[in-house]
Amino acid sequence: MSLSGQKTTNLDAVVVGAGFSGLYMLYRLREAGFSTRVYEAGGDVGGVWYWNRYPGARCDSDSVHYCYTFSDELLQEWTWSSRYPEQPEILRYLNFVADKFNLRPDIQFNTRVKSAHYDEESSRWQIETEDGARVSAKYFITGVGCISTANIPKVKGLETFQGQWYHTGRWPHEKVDFTGKRVGVVGTGSSGVQSIPVIAQQAGHLTVFQRTPQYTVPARNHPYDPEFVEKTKANYPEIKQQLRESFGGLLVDSQEKSALEDTPEQRDRVYEAAWEKGGFGFAFSYTDLTLDEEANKTAADFVRAKIREIVKDPETVEKLSPTYYYGTKRPILDTNYYETYNRDNVSLVDVRKTPIVEITPTGLRTTEGEYELDVLVFATGYDGMTGTLFNIDIRSKDGVPLKEKWADGAETRTYLGIATAGFPNLFMITGPESPSVLSNMPVSIEQHVEWISDCIEYLRDHGIETIEPKVEAEEAWSRHCREVADATLYVKTDSWYTGANIAGKARRFPIYLGGVGPYRHICDEVAAKGYEGFSLSMCN
Ligand code: N01
């Protein structure tokens, strides 16, 4: 049922975002007969894949697993070219999905949702967009992504810069030409590590401003051979089941034992094989790499040895060698990242030692001196997990802003990472305290979308007006989430996971680390028990 031409003031559901989450949410709700509208700030579908057009942007989960699995027809019709395709191919895929399922008529592009206030009297969400339009919906569903609010450092003088500057997550649609230019890249997370080798090939000179050196493992991207694709397509039912039951929503070779059970020689063989194979397998080589300091050190030492082997200049080796616990920032995959520092046109500046002081009209100044630049690229990441949710003024039935409920220091946030007490009929796809960014996102997105649409159908079929977590269920979930995280090394590292990258943000670890498969079972059990832990109120 399309909404085109219909009155839009009263909808069953409003969904925010037309990326992987929003597209599938729309499909499911529409199939179930709910009038649904998606609002999308971008000019087209794609979510992160619409915005992240920086050089070298590509996925780093195997593409045959980094996709929807809900439609057998779609799985058979779409063919991925390679293990880690570039952004344009992933964007083409999402456009293909939107067209195949005729989703566009129910998506309003170039429209940012400004506020969503729950009105207890009507039991409806009152939603306003930035252009002043208002709609009312029974269900308000966020599919805004976990890392979509760009973090642009507040460096003095940026407005005076006479060259061009960009953030990787807000890349222009037109090609940016670096040929012969003096380029600076600030940041060496996944976006920096992907873009630096590509920019280096074009730039006259590239200066990388690094605050924290990173562990990265070769991606070893390669075109798929047709036989592999055919076999994969034939096996999708089994693959889908394995992905859903897996720990991270990925299929990787992992040894079900501690790194410390192997001798140093055995470990070297395991790590070397994973390094050669490329991909996330390295991070899963042993079960305790993010649990035990000694086990962690074995993987960290291996990567540091690789850096010494690859990079020629000893001073650069020193600067590039990470010291934090391996894997406790987002593991990174690269193509020729460390090798890039052997190029004559690339230099590395340690801005932890010599911090950035200001941007000048002609470049960037650190405490050590000024670097003249024509182009400046901020690969400085995002206000993750909550930043985008907080940019919408979401208010509870008592008028409390979500931002206030989750204020710094608040220990309790969500039930299952899907819903939050005080906000009836609000659902968050891959919300805080779900596996989200520590999983292969499409797998987690499909799980949430299916759980949410099944829930909404249940409410309709049982004459239930509202659903909302009970405070005690929420407290127990937040506590469980925290206890699982506290048993790992993740909480000991400053990262965007913990909010440490954003000045003034409270430190917490809002990701459920219990694993995708076990988490799915918990959510399914809650539903099977009539939405245990939620309060349900009947229609009058
Ligand atoms: O951002 P990041 P990202 N001065 O936060 C540095 C996903 N992703 O865009 O580590 C100087 O990881 C910061 O330094 P530090 C993926 O989940 C996926 O790269 O905070 N430096 C860091 O080096 C990923 O984790 C894909 O000390 C500053 C960098 O900027 C997430 O997105 C591709 C600074 C930011 O790294 C975010 O990745 C790309 C400052 N003021 C992204 N502020 C794939 O699918 C920050 N930094 C492959």
Side-chain angles (χ1 to χ4, degrees):
M1 176 174 62
S2 166
L3 289 171
S4 328
Q6 289 187 16
K7 264 183 83 178
T8 56
T9 44
N10 274 314
L11 296 162
D12 291 326
V14 158
V15 178
V16 192
F20 265 101
S21 299
L23 292 180
Y24 186 34
M25 194 75 246
L26 170 60
Y27 172 78
R28 283 290 294 227
L29 289 176
R30 222 173 51 177
E31 287 293 292
F34 295 104
S35 61
T36 305
R37 168 153 296 191
V38 175
Y39 288 106
E40 166 57 56
D44 208 336
V45 299
V48 289
W49 297 107
Y50 173 84
W51 297 105
N52 280 263
R53 296 163 186 255
Y54 60 83
R58 55 175 77 243
C59 70
D60 58 8
S61 301
D62 293 42
S63 55
V64 289
H65 307 148
Y66 188 83
C67 56
Y68 294 116
T69 60
F70 69 86
S71 160
D72 291 338
E73 218 177 83
L74 177 61
L75 284 169
Q76 298 307 319
E77 282 175 13
W78 182 265
T79 299
W80 294 105
S81 68
S82 60
R83 187 179 184 188
Y84 305 123
E86 285 190 301
Q87 172 269 344
E89 184 169 334
I90 304 169
L91 190 58
R92 270 201 306 281
Y93 169 73
L94 290 167
N95 274 276
F96 179 81
V97 171
D99 292 337
K100 177 174 172 58
F101 298 109
N102 191 28
L103 300 176
R104 292 177 203 280
D106 294 313
I107 307 174
Q108 190 170 316
F109 295 107
N110 301 306
T111 308
R112 204 172 272 281
V113 172
K114 184 171 122 190
S115 63
H117 296 177
Y118 188 76
D119 173 38
E120 204 164 14
E121 206 167 297
S122 60
S123 303
R124 296 183 71 82
W125 284 93
Q126 306 299 335
I127 295 141
E128 190 175 344
T129 56
E130 275 189 352
D131 56 11
R134 286 161 198 257
V135 291
S136 130
K138 190 157 184 183
Y139 306 104
F140 182 61
I141 304 168
T142 60
V144 294
C146 302
I147 29 183
S148 34
T149 294
N151 168 39
I152 298 168
K154 293 179 183 61
V155 192
K156 186 179 139 200
L158 181 56
E159 68 290 350
T160 68
F161 186 55
Q162 284 169 3
Q164 287 85 45
W165 69 267
Y166 308 96
H167 184 278
T168 47
R170 289 288 175 276
W171 203 259
H173 287 211
E174 313 76 56
K175 185 175 159 43
V176 176
D177 186 8
F178 296 103
T179 313
K181 301 215 169 122
R182 297 165 302 178
V183 184
V185 173
V186 182
T188 52
S190 302
S191 306
V193 167
Q194 284 190 333
S195 57
I196 285 164
V198 183
I199 295 174
Q201 286 171 23
Q202 289 178 27
H205 191 88
L206 169 63
T207 308
V208 177
F209 299 94
Q210 168 197 276
R211 191 163 66 181
T212 307
Q214 289 279 9
Y215 302 95
T216 144
V217 169
R220 310 252 185 246
N221 185 38
H222 55 77
Y224 280 144
D225 81 67
E227 218 174 287
F228 170 81
V229 171
E230 201 181 311
K231 203 167 137 206
T232 303
K233 286 190 177 188
N235 285 341
Y236 259 128
E238 199 186 318
I239 291 171
K240 179 174 167 174
Q241 195 53 29
Q242 288 172 346
L243 290 170
R244 289 175 165 220
E245 292 295 331
S246 67
F247 188 82
L250 299 160
L251 302 187
V252 287
D253 300 331
S254 64
Q255 302 220 98
E256 290 305 309
K257 63 174 175 183
S258 161
L260 306 177
E261 285 177 53
D262 272 353
T263 63
E265 294 72 29
Q266 287 168 326
R267 271 197 308 264
D268 262 3
R269 278 198 296 278
V270 169
Y271 288 142
E272 191 63 48
W275 183 273
E276 278 313 307
K277 192 168 181 194
F280 280 133
F282 186 89
F284 290 91
S285 295
Y286 295 100
T287 49
D288 55 352
L289 294 185
T290 51
L291 299 175
D292 181 277
E293 292 186 18
E294 214 184 318
N296 187 280
K297 187 171 178 306
T298 64
D301 283 346
F302 183 88
V303 180
R304 285 190 286 255
K306 283 290 181 193
I307 298 171
R308 286 195 294 277
E309 205 177 292
I310 297 168
V311 180
K312 292 186 186 134
D313 172 44
E315 214 178 291
T316 309
V317 168
E318 188 63 27
K319 285 187 208 161
L320 281 174
S321 298
T323 52
Y324 67 91
Y325 292 114
Y326 167 78
T328 54
K329 282 176 182 265
R330 162 69 147 70
I332 302 179
L333 303 185
D334 73 276
T335 303
N336 296 329
Y337 178 68
Y338 295 129
E339 288 83 349
T340 294
Y341 293 94
N342 291 331
R343 295 177 65 103
D344 291 339
N345 70 335
V346 176
S347 46
L348 179 64
V349 177
D350 178 350
V351 294
R352 174 91 57 199
K353 231 182 209 165
T354 57
I356 298 171
V357 177
E358 64 174 338
I359 310 288
T360 67
T362 52
L364 183 154
R365 200 156 65 77
T366 69
T367 50
E368 198 178 36
E370 180 162 355
Y371 298 84
E372 295 212 330
L373 301 170
D374 305 307
V375 185
L376 185 51
V377 175
F378 289 105
T380 44
Y382 301 88
D383 181 357
M385 307 311 294
T386 51
T388 311
L389 288 170
F390 289 168
N391 283 343
I392 306 171
D393 176 16
I394 303 174
R395 300 229 178 153
S396 75
K397 59 186 181 189
D398 301 316
V400 178
L402 184 67
K403 196 172 178 173
E404 204 171 291
K405 179 184 171 187
W406 290 356
D408 297 353
E411 288 296 322
T412 298
R413 298 229 158 168
T414 77
Y415 184 36
L416 305 174
I418 297 178
T420 188
F423 296 74
N425 295 353
L426 165 71
F427 298 96
M428 296 169 289
I429 305 169
T430 66
E433 299 183 342
S434 72
S436 67
V437 291
L438 275 162
S439 71
N440 179 20
M441 288 301 276
V443 175
S444 287
I445 286 168
E446 281 196 330
Q447 185 244 334
H448 267 188
V449 167
E450 286 161 15
W451 192 94
I452 293 166
S453 54
D454 287 350
C455 174
I456 291 177
E457 283 185 65
Y458 177 93
L459 302 181
R460 177 186 59 190
D461 298 347
H462 291 77
I464 296 163
E465 183 88 337
T466 63
I467 183 166
E468 178 191 339
K470 292 178 181 160
V471 172
E472 57 275 21
E474 181 167 277
E475 278 170 1
W477 180 255
S478 289
R479 192 167 49 246
H480 173 56
C481 214
R482 200 166 49 247
E483 283 166 1
V484 177
D486 283 348
T488 72
L489 300 173
Y490 283 101
V491 292
K492 298 190 175 182
T493 297
D494 281 346
S495 66
W496 66 260
Y497 293 152
T498 62
N501 63 328
I502 301 297
K505 193 166 175 175
R507 193 192 170 99
R508 29 181 319 117
F509 192 86
I511 305 158
Y512 183 56
L513 283 173
V516 162
Y519 171 78
R520 172 184 294 272
H521 289 293
I522 295 170
C523 293
D524 287 350
E525 205 177 309
V526 164
K529 290 183 175 166
Y531 296 92
E532 189 180 46
F534 286 94
S535 296
L536 309 176
S537 77
M538 300 305 286
C539 298
N540 292 324

